[in-house]
Amino acid sequence: MFSRSCISLLELSSGDVLNFPQTPRNLPRVMTLEGVIPDVKSSDGVDEDISVPPSEICEKKIIVAHFLPLHAQKDAKSGKWYFSLDEDPVLLQLKDGFPSGTVVIYVGSLKVDIDASEQEEVSQKLLEEFNCVPTFLPSELHKKYYHGFCKQFLWPLFHYMLPMCPDHSNRFERQLWQAYVSANKMYADKVMEVINPENDIVWVHDYHLMLLPTFLRRRFTRVKLGFFLHSPFPSSEIYRTLPVRDEILRALLNVDLIGFHTFDYARHFLSCCSRMLGLEYESKRGYIGLEYFGRTVYIKILPVGIHMGQLESALNHPSCSMKAKEIQEQFKGKKIIVGADDMDIFKGISLKLMAMEQLLMQHPEMRGKVVLVQILNPARSTGKDVQEAKRETYSVTRRINRVFGFPGYEPVVLIDRSVPFYEKAAYYSLAECCIINAVRDGMNLVPYKYIICRQGNQKLDKAIGVASDSPRTSTLVVSEFIGCSPSLSGAIRVNPWNIEAVADALNVALTMPDLEKQLRHEKHFRYVSSHDVAYWSRSFVQDLERACKDHYRKRCWGIGFGLNFRILSLSPSFRKLSIDHILSAYKRTNRRAIFLDYDGTIMPESSIVKTPSSEVISVLKNLCSDPKNTVFIVSGRGQNSLSEWFAQCENLGIAAEHGYFMRWNSTSSWETSSLAIDLDWKQIAEPVMKLYTEATDGSYIESKESALVWHHLDADPDFGSCQAMELLDHLENVLANEPVVVKKGQHIVEVKPQGVTKGLVAQKVLSTMIGNGNAPDFVLCIGDDRSDEDMFESISGTSCTTYSSSQVAAPEIFACTVGQKPSKARYYLDDTADVVTLLKGLTTDSSLKPRCGGEIQVPFENIILDE
């Protein structure tokens, strides 16, 4: 049933429980064929690229969470541990969405401490009986990791509570962060014990394990890896206060699919990626994707559902019917409002009670007729804030009951104990209204459970005396700050901080006509019953499979150190351009064309000084001095700047403004593109751009002779991108009948004449050389942005069509992009320093063959420098 990767775990009896294999320090750099990256090195220490086709082993689903879905109890007499499944956690319920026969392995920690001497036996027992793999965290580590970093720092921050004062929340502590990192590493190591990376799916859950994807991806670059966040994801203004914000974002981006309950949470995550990592997302056929180093990280938005079978079992439980009769008798003649919340500061319990107080104050006729039953679930964390919230809850309750109660009537009933689910179901089934008033909550499934319980069943109906064919009703008052709110369109949504509005909502819910209650209930029941936990898990896994379909079609590199590790995924034909490789071709050819971009290629984008360095000038002069070379700078910059900067390079060709202006050397005159003469469109476009510039702080207009460019690099990232899209649409409409194209680039919107591209420059130079009988046998083209992709495509297309028709041998083509990213080029260089180094290597050979001074040469080879 298990793959061979499970061997070490299945051999726990060997007594080596504390020495599980650790994540290897070294990762093979490249894998070109379908298979898995090897775990070992060859005898000489060199990484081997062994192809191991995916096997026919049935895939497992590995569910990773902080806690295993188990109850644990130690017998006091025998000293033996006894375990049973905990049916409540969604982690256990989600398996209903998987095909029958699917092997599901759970990885997580236990809620009890297991002595080191017992861990081996317990691990064996849990694996054999429950398919559970326990992660044994040392007690002190678990305290710092869970109760420290997770519950006292991350959890409040993700619920919009900043550590402004040490009395209310903990501030960031490096040692707690290190415990979080260590714990995530230990969970990842446990996953590695049971995974068959070619087949298995790993699904990681919640904020406790946000770093685990980095550790797992470092070990298995092609593992199918998904993550679902069950808590809110805060807005970028909150999240950016996190000192380790980049590390967590990059770790999450090491998965293939990230799931969120609502679009708001997903939008906040995408905004953080944009503002802090400079990443842009786009929607493709209904799916949102982030391009990250050649990989597409997909975003899934779907709230988790409830387990219908569990609810039906609870409603059919004899104790449920008995409890329902008891509740019916206890509150006879009264309308019940029910609430069920964990005891913590974000559930808004005291605000809910104050709304009930306001309701009774504004509507005296409801006194004695309405009762709020508030179920307090045990707190999941300890701390002063929880104790304060509990004290306030009891204080407000006593005040309400003292002011508005009388013998035989208490307006508020607190149930502060662990309540079995069948009892909760009884309260839900009899409540006229359910109110969930949390000030911030990830999902909260209580409204879903309430709706199903209000639908009832024959057994419960008989117990409480309701006709089985009678119409079902329910009303919901839910906070707009909880994850289930968007999916409950028939609920009354409230701002929990507005006590008067919540009181009004309760009044509306209680006095609503029965027909309206029925229609709202039916609408909710259709959604909740069809979007259960099985639907949620099935949908997530299907999308994860789709997100992973390209895993074996690309080459993968592991780059970055520590938590900055990420995978670079590129086409198998895409590789780094080495000086040795190109130099051999350079030396044996005689008619070379070299095209170079400027900004981002030989001039760093981040440089404030945009004039070329003396080193660049020297390199270009040496290249141009070789009579075998025709070198061109192809840039989007204006002709005056370029001609001034490169005045010393007399034999250098320049194509300015993407080829609108062009000259072969310093003594030749500028040629203007014949494709565009009329520039009257500027009078239409410029006023529109000025409008957006005035409205967008940090933006400006660059006016070229042939084009207009609107820049928004220094504007707010979200607002700038939004304005760019609006400007693009606006300009396309007003310029629809003009001979121009409107394009959106990296932080720019550009309007330029139709047909003016860098690709046409390359095509013109190559065609001229061929027409003069000097067909190039070597073409080098280096650029860094989208405009240079036209050049890469053009030099390949020109070679294929022109050379085949003229029966001339095709040249050796080196199309090279700057930076490791998807491109039409076959080669890449890491940065501008690499470009200059490469060109220097070529000049070593070119400097031996000086060009005759003063003689004007017909270009034999073009070197294009991209902007």
Side-chain angles (χ1 to χ4, degrees), residues 6-155:
C6 301
I7 291 176
S8 58
L9 192 63
L10 296 174
E11 293 179 349
L12 288 173
S13 57
S14 65
D16 202 23
V17 68
L18 298 180
N19 295 312
F20 288 123
Q22 300 298 305
T23 305
R25 292 287 183 184
N26 299 313
L27 182 69
R29 297 292 294 171
V30 181
M31 183 172 78
T32 58
L33 301 176
E34 180 171 328
V36 343
I37 289 186
D39 302 341
V40 297
K41 290 190 174 188
S42 61
S43 57
D44 60 357
V46 179
D47 292 329
E48 294 180 348
D49 194 3
I50 303 172
S51 175
V52 182
S55 63
E56 296 301 321
I57 298 174
C58 179
E59 71 173 26
K60 302 189 297 293
K61 304 290 193 301
I62 301 175
I63 310 301
V64 194
H66 174 224
F67 285 129
L68 291 170
L70 295 172
H71 293 299
Q73 187 173 0
K74 191 172 186 177
D75 185 85
K77 293 182 179 180
S78 64
K80 290 186 177 181
W81 283 100
Y82 292 94
F83 300 93
S84 61
L85 288 174
D86 182 356
E87 302 289 344
D88 289 338
V90 70
L91 303 173
L92 190 65
Q93 300 168 359
L94 59 78
K95 69 179 186 297
D96 287 2
F98 303 152
S100 60
T102 301
V103 178
V104 182
I105 303 290
Y106 297 95
V107 177
S109 61
L110 292 166
K111 298 176 184 177
V112 294
D113 288 331
I114 306 292
D115 190 81
S117 62
E118 301 175 295
Q119 290 176 2
E120 176 183 342
E121 181 185 351
V122 168
S123 296
Q124 185 75 30
K125 181 182 179 68
L126 294 183
L127 180 63
E128 291 176 354
E129 297 182 12
F130 301 101
N131 275 5
C132 288
V133 180
T135 303
F136 298 111
L137 300 179
S139 179
E140 188 62 25
L141 176 65
H142 185 266
K143 182 180 178 181
K144 291 179 179 178
Y145 153 66
Y146 180 64
H147 295 290
F149 194 77
C150 289
K151 299 305 290 185
Q152 296 299 321
F153 183 75
L154 268 187
W155 189 74

Side-chain angles (χ1 to χ4, degrees), residues 514-548:
D514 288 343
L515 179 59
E516 186 175 351
K517 290 181 183 179
Q518 178 186 343
L519 294 175
R520 288 175 184 253
H521 171 79
E522 289 173 354
K523 183 177 186 180
H524 288 157
F525 181 76
R526 281 194 300 270
Y527 175 83
V528 174
S529 59
S530 60
H531 291 72
D532 61 355
V533 68
Y535 173 88
W536 171 75
S537 64
R538 183 167 56 250
S539 177
F540 186 90
V541 170
Q542 286 174 352
D543 280 4
L544 180 56
E545 293 275 15
R546 180 187 53 78
C548 298

Side-chain angles (χ1 to χ4, degrees), residues 67-257:
F67 285 129
L68 291 170
L70 295 172
H71 293 299
Q73 187 173 0
K74 191 172 186 177
D75 185 85
K77 293 182 179 180
S78 64
K80 290 186 177 181
W81 283 100
Y82 292 94
F83 300 93
S84 61
L85 288 174
D86 182 356
E87 302 289 344
D88 289 338
V90 70
L91 303 173
L92 190 65
Q93 300 168 359
L94 59 78
K95 69 179 186 297
D96 287 2
F98 303 152
S100 60
T102 301
V103 178
V104 182
I105 303 290
Y106 297 95
V107 177
S109 61
L110 292 166
K111 298 176 184 177
V112 294
D113 288 331
I114 306 292
D115 190 81
S117 62
E118 301 175 295
Q119 290 176 2
E120 176 183 342
E121 181 185 351
V122 168
S123 296
Q124 185 75 30
K125 181 182 179 68
L126 294 183
L127 180 63
E128 291 176 354
E129 297 182 12
F130 301 101
N131 275 5
C132 288
V133 180
T135 303
F136 298 111
L137 300 179
S139 179
E140 188 62 25
L141 176 65
H142 185 266
K143 182 180 178 181
K144 291 179 179 178
Y145 153 66
Y146 180 64
H147 295 290
F149 194 77
C150 289
K151 299 305 290 185
Q152 296 299 321
F153 183 75
L154 268 187
W155 189 74
L157 187 75
F158 275 40
H159 287 74
Y160 288 74
M161 185 175 177
L162 292 174
M164 303 295 288
C165 175
D167 291 339
H168 291 88
S169 60
N170 289 356
R171 290 176 178 168
F172 179 83
E173 292 183 37
R174 184 62 57 177
Q175 62 173 344
L176 298 183
W177 164 247
Q178 290 169 348
Y180 184 80
V181 174
S182 299
N184 273 254
K185 175 66 167 59
M186 293 179 70
Y187 279 90
D189 287 340
K190 284 299 179 182
V191 175
M192 294 175 200
E193 288 294 320
V194 295
I195 190 173
N196 176 12
E198 306 100 90
N199 297 283
D200 296 347
I201 283 177
V202 181
W203 188 356
V204 184
H205 289 265
D206 224 2
Y207 65 94
H208 314 91
L209 300 171
M210 291 189 292
L211 297 183
L212 187 149
T214 290
F215 296 116
L216 199 59
R217 186 69 73 184
R218 178 186 290 276
R219 181 67 176 80
F220 303 113
T221 60
R222 286 176 172 80
V223 63
K224 300 173 184 175
L225 184 54
F227 179 91
F228 197 93
L229 184 67
H230 293 270
S231 76
F233 195 93
S235 65
S236 60
E237 287 76 14
I238 299 293
Y239 182 81
R240 72 201 313 174
T241 65
L242 185 61
V244 288
R245 60 192 191 184
D246 287 0
E247 289 88 336
I248 290 177
L249 283 181
R250 291 190 187 281
L252 291 176
L253 290 171
N254 275 322
V255 307
D256 298 294
L257 179 68

Side-chain angles (χ1 to χ4, degrees), residues 329-580:
E329 184 63 29
Q330 180 184 357
F331 298 109
K332 189 175 181 179
K334 300 179 182 67
K335 291 183 177 181
I336 300 174
I337 302 172
V338 69
D341 303 276
D342 294 344
M343 188 66 250
D344 72 51
I345 58 176
F346 295 109
K347 293 301 187 285
I349 298 172
S350 58
L351 293 173
K352 181 192 304 184
L353 295 174
M354 285 187 273
M356 179 66 178
E357 183 179 36
Q358 188 75 17
L359 175 70
L360 296 175
M361 192 181 301
Q362 292 179 348
H363 301 277
E365 70 279 6
M366 288 192 176
R367 299 172 189 175
K369 298 180 181 179
V370 176
V371 61
L372 170 62
V373 177
Q374 177 62 50
I375 300 171
L376 300 177
N377 300 322
R380 298 189 186 186
S381 62
T382 58
K384 187 162 57 176
D385 52 355
V386 174
Q387 297 306 317
E388 287 178 359
K390 192 167 187 175
R391 278 197 298 271
E392 185 180 13
T393 297
Y394 273 90
S395 174
V396 176
T397 299
R398 284 194 296 268
R399 186 178 72 226
I400 295 173
N401 289 339
R402 185 178 65 252
V403 174
F404 300 103
F406 49 80
Y409 172 64
E410 282 190 341
V412 177
V413 176
L414 287 184
I415 304 178
D416 187 7
R417 57 180 168 81
S418 182
V419 179
F421 187 69
Y422 71 82
E423 184 176 342
K424 290 181 182 177
Y427 278 107
Y428 294 156
S429 63
L430 291 169
E432 286 282 324
C433 172
C434 176
I435 176 171
I436 300 299
N437 204 47
V439 296
R440 189 72 60 177
D441 207 353
M443 182 58 192
N444 202 315
L445 294 174
V446 170
Y448 287 7
K449 295 173 182 178
Y450 166 73
I451 289 162
I452 300 302
C453 291
R454 286 292 288 175
Q455 187 69 14
N457 61 19
Q458 289 185 353
K459 192 171 184 180
L460 185 61
D461 290 347
K462 185 178 179 181
I464 60 178
V466 175
S468 58
D469 58 348
S470 63
R472 307 296 159 149
T473 63
S474 65
T475 54
L476 280 168
V477 176
V478 299
S479 164
E480 60 192 46
F481 301 119
I482 63 175
C484 66
S485 176
S487 61
L488 297 171
S489 56
I492 303 172
R493 298 191 182 98
V494 294
N495 173 4
W497 299 101
N498 190 337
I499 295 170
E500 289 78 9
V502 177
D504 290 342
L506 287 173
N507 180 54
V508 169
L510 293 171
T511 59
M512 188 181 293
D514 288 343
L515 179 59
E516 186 175 351
K517 290 181 183 179
Q518 178 186 343
L519 294 175
R520 288 175 184 253
H521 171 79
E522 289 173 354
K523 183 177 186 180
H524 288 157
F525 181 76
R526 281 194 300 270
Y527 175 83
V528 174
S529 59
S530 60
H531 291 72
D532 61 355
V533 68
Y535 173 88
W536 171 75
S537 64
R538 183 167 56 250
S539 177
F540 186 90
V541 170
Q542 286 174 352
D543 280 4
L544 180 56
E545 293 275 15
R546 180 187 53 78
C548 298
K549 69 182 187 301
D550 289 334
H551 272 194
Y552 287 93
R553 298 180 186 175
K554 294 183 177 182
R555 277 173 108 184
C556 293
W557 287 264
I559 59 176
F561 295 100
L563 295 176
N564 284 321
F565 176 85
R566 61 263 190 206
I567 292 296
L568 175 65
S569 180
L570 298 169
S571 167
S573 61
F574 191 70
R575 62 181 186 270
K576 187 167 184 176
L577 183 57
S578 69
I579 182 64
D580 294 335

Side-chain angles (χ1 to χ4, degrees), residues 794 796-806:
S794 178
S796 300
T798 303
S799 299
C800 291
T801 56
T802 307
Y803 281 79
S804 59
S805 61
S806 60

